[in-house]
Amino acid sequence: MGMGFLPGRKLIRPGASRQRGVVTVEFALIAIVFFALLLAIMEFGRILFAFNSAAEATRFGARIAVVCDPNSKPMIVSKMQLLMPYLTTAQITVTYLPINCDVNTCREVQVGVTGINYRPLIPVASLNISMPPFTTTLPRESMRSTIGADANPECS
């Protein structure tokens, strides 16, 4: 029992007292980088979801517009707003082609969404992402869908 060993006391290596808290500091540095990367991945996923929602809203609006009459624009806009509630009427365009056509002469329908801005949930910087315009053009199918007893329920 030499070398100054006392029962109940720990042996301390020389210089070990300088190492206290190093693990905590290393964890804090790594955790900051890890959580920042995790939040960036989540925000990127939200941006992709917003882009996909805008594209799907234009497709949905075009599918409804091809079977409805040219005067059904308010109904088409309201159904598109079910997919993207923050869309305004000014951001949605529904155009029957050729311009100024009627039930008998319209050949195509073009539905577009413009002016959408995306703001991240985490305001690290005042980041405001402008989405590109989304447009879908489809050939018309039945423009007489709101006339008579055979009216399409989608158009009412």
Side-chain angles (χ1 to χ4, degrees), residues 17-54:
S17 62
R18 294 183 310 196
Q19 296 292 318
R20 286 192 177 165
V22 171
V23 172
T24 305
V25 172
E26 288 174 353
F27 173 76
L29 293 173
I30 297 300
I32 290 171
V33 173
F34 174 74
F35 286 116
L37 182 63
L38 184 65
L39 290 174
I41 290 169
M42 289 178 5
E43 277 300 325
F44 187 71
R46 289 187 63 242
I47 290 171
L48 288 178
F49 178 77
F51 272 62
N52 188 44
S53 295

Side-chain angles (χ1 to χ4, degrees), residues 1 6 12 28 34 44 52 65 79 107 114 123 144:
M1 285 243 189
L6 297 174
I12 300 176
F34 174 74
F44 187 71
N52 188 44
K79 293 207 179 208
R107 290 188 305 262
T114 58
R144 297 184 187 274

